[in-house]
Amino acid sequence: MSSSVTLRQFWDQLSTEGRWLLSTVAVQTLGRGLTLPFTVIYLHEVRGFSLDLAGALMAFIAVVALVVTGPGGVLTDRIGARRVLLAATTCQLVGCTILAFATTPALAALAMVFLGINFGMSWPAFNALIAAVTTGEMRQQYFGINFALVNLGIGVGGVVGGIYADVSQPHTFTVIFLGDAASMLVPIGLLLGPLRHVTGHHQAPDDADASAGSYLEILRNPAVIGVTALTFIAVFVGYGQLEAGFPAYARNVGEVSTGVIGFSFAINTAVIVLLQFLVLRLIAGHRRTRVMLAMCGLWVLSYAVLGATGLVPGPVAAVGVLTFMGLFALGETMMQPTIPAITNDMAPDHLRGRYNAVNAGAFQAGAIGGPLFAGFVLDRGWSGAYVFVLGAGCALIGVLALVVERLVPASVNGVPDTHPLTADPVTGERAPQGPPA
């Protein structure tokens, strides 16, 4: 696929299975958007839980997800991505239904278990299913467009939920959580219907070492370690700050209103939805690691702008906060197509679930560590140190991207491999291919 490919050409070149999988993403995530911004409000103001308990319940989702991600990757490889995704999506449906009627902490915790199972297991399974219906440059394009549709669905859902939900009328929250549950019927119907024959399951080669599929062996691959570290740092300084460090800094240091912070998230969604496909056209055919370098530059600039808002709090800071979010979102459009594509192009077919699970685990660890760091530093008033560490983290992403570039074949990095090499999926050692037999 050339860099001049249009959206229509992408759709025409996509397999029927890929079209089915992609066409329902926005509908499914619209349900998620109905509840995502309002879960803590629901638990605290509607069900009467303390803020500490509500926050702990939200964190519990991430803990459960982290625990089940490894087993989810193994199951994906052993029984197929479709079956695991079907089970995980059903857990989301059950969890949202329970949460809609959770009047006690115990019921809420039970709901969070089901939500955590979905979050932890669906990631490696869904990425493996995408890899099963796409190849090459099409795979990178797919991951990027999928990301844009996810943001579109969540953004629209958030607007609808914000208009409809009312803390003075508890039943409105019951309705939006049931709406989230009902939206899961779309992917469930898809997996039981048009995609029932796409298993995402691959048999190991006859000569494969039985022990080569363990997570320990996979993590002995230097390229896997590099991509895992890259993912962790990118999430730690990126997504790990969006819902915790960024709002706290903007509110307490930049002294901007909550309305400005809310509008900044609308800008985030708009930039991703409007520019993702353009970015995909521009980065097609370029080294994915170099795309990550461009992302680093954008994120360093964005955090410099955010840091400057602390020097001019008030109306000028508000402009800085909005600018920060626009630059950050543009960087996201470069990150989301590249890391999943590298992971899935690097993984042997029969181990793709586990490779995705390793990457998902790094993402979840960064999403847990990022807010903890932000809370610790900002609570002590170390705003300058906060911005400096995030900027240094962005620079570290650039270093890791260049390290990964030396460890993966050119084809995995998104460009033609002029000197094909065979790579051991466990050790990462490569040797020139011999002549065909």
Side-chain angles (χ1 to χ4, degrees):
M1 186 180 299
S2 70
S3 60
S4 60
V5 67
T6 65
L7 184 58
R8 178 59 183 270
Q9 289 171 329
F10 168 80
W11 185 258
D12 289 342
Q13 295 173 23
L14 198 59
S15 65
T16 301
E17 294 81 7
R19 293 177 188 176
W20 274 113
L21 195 60
L22 191 61
S23 62
T24 60
V25 169
V27 176
Q28 177 184 350
T29 54
L30 187 148
R32 191 73 190 100
L34 285 174
T35 61
L36 184 63
F38 311 111
T39 304
V40 169
I41 295 173
Y42 166 69
L43 293 174
H44 177 55
E45 298 190 37
V46 177
R47 296 308 183 189
F49 301 168
S50 69
L51 276 175
D52 285 347
L53 178 57
L57 286 168
M58 294 297 292
F60 188 47
I61 297 176
V63 172
V64 173
L66 195 58
V67 169
V68 303
T69 294
V74 173
L75 284 173
T76 296
D77 291 332
R78 289 184 176 175
I79 67 175
R82 187 187 72 91
R83 291 180 178 177
V84 173
L85 191 57
L86 187 59
T89 307
T90 302
C91 284
Q92 177 76 10
L93 187 154
V94 173
C96 288
T97 302
I98 294 174
L99 197 55
F101 302 100
T103 56
T104 66
L107 273 178
L110 178 62
M112 299 312 182
V113 169
F114 282 101
L115 298 180
I117 290 173
N118 170 68
F119 186 60
M121 299 187 73
S122 64
W123 190 326
F126 187 70
N127 280 0
L129 202 62
I130 289 176
V133 299
T134 58
T135 57
E137 188 66 38
M138 179 71 73
R139 184 173 292 164
Q140 176 171 290
Q141 297 272 350
Y142 195 107
F143 277 117
I145 293 174
N146 179 79
F147 176 63
L149 290 176
V150 166
N151 277 271
L152 176 63
I154 290 178
V156 173
V159 171
V160 174
I163 294 172
Y164 178 74
D166 185 347
V167 294
S168 66
Q169 300 183 57
H171 74 275
T172 59
F173 283 86
T174 299
V175 170
I176 63 173
F177 278 101
L178 290 179
D180 191 355
S183 71
M184 296 302 109
L185 295 173
V186 174
I188 289 174
L190 182 70
L191 294 167
L192 291 175
L195 290 180
R196 63 186 180 277
H197 62 286
V198 181
T199 65
H201 180 241
H202 299 274
Q203 294 291 339
D206 294 336
D207 58 349
D209 185 349
S211 65
S214 71
Y215 283 112
L216 181 60
E217 291 298 320
I218 290 172
L219 286 170
R220 288 178 178 171
N221 181 343
V224 172
I225 294 174
V227 174
T228 301
L230 179 62
T231 301
F232 172 78
I233 298 298
V235 175
F236 184 94
V237 304
Y239 292 105
Q241 305 305 319
L242 278 194
E243 294 182 13
F246 158 67
Y249 187 96
R251 188 81 180 102
N252 298 319
V253 182
E255 299 179 6
V256 304
S257 68
T258 54
V260 169
I261 295 173
F263 188 62
S264 73
F265 280 93
I267 288 180
N268 180 276
T269 299
V271 168
I272 292 170
V273 171
L274 295 176
L275 297 184
Q276 180 67 83
F277 193 75
L278 174 61
V279 170
L280 287 170
R281 295 182 66 185
L282 294 174
I283 69 176
H286 295 280
R287 287 183 175 87
R288 291 161 179 164
T289 48
R290 301 298 172 90
V291 174
M292 291 296 293
L293 288 179
M295 183 212 78
C296 290
L298 284 168
W299 279 10
V300 167
L301 180 59
S302 72
Y303 279 120
V305 171
L306 182 64
T309 64
L311 303 176
V312 285
V316 176
V319 176
V321 165
L322 300 180
T323 303
F324 157 80
M325 191 59 93
L327 292 169
F328 185 90
L330 185 57
E332 288 183 78
T333 65
M334 299 179 181
M335 173 184 169
Q336 285 297 332
T338 52
I339 290 181
I342 290 174
T343 300
N344 282 277
D345 285 352
M346 179 171 57
D349 288 339
H350 68 290
L351 297 178
R352 187 162 282 127
R354 273 164 271 204
Y355 272 66
N356 278 293
V358 169
N359 191 255
F363 192 104
Q364 290 155 4
I368 293 171
L372 291 175
F373 159 77
F376 179 83
V377 173
L378 293 178
D379 187 53
R380 286 158 176 77
W382 301 340
S383 56
Y386 174 74
V387 173
F388 175 80
V389 170
L390 295 182
C394 292
L396 180 57
I397 294 172
V399 173
L400 289 170
L402 294 177
V403 170
V404 170
E405 183 173 306
R406 296 176 61 86
L407 295 174
V408 299
S411 57
V412 170
N413 206 11
V415 294
D417 196 343
T418 55
H419 300 288
L421 303 175
T422 58
D424 188 298
V426 175
T427 66
E429 294 180 356
R430 291 177 281 153
Q433 290 181 334

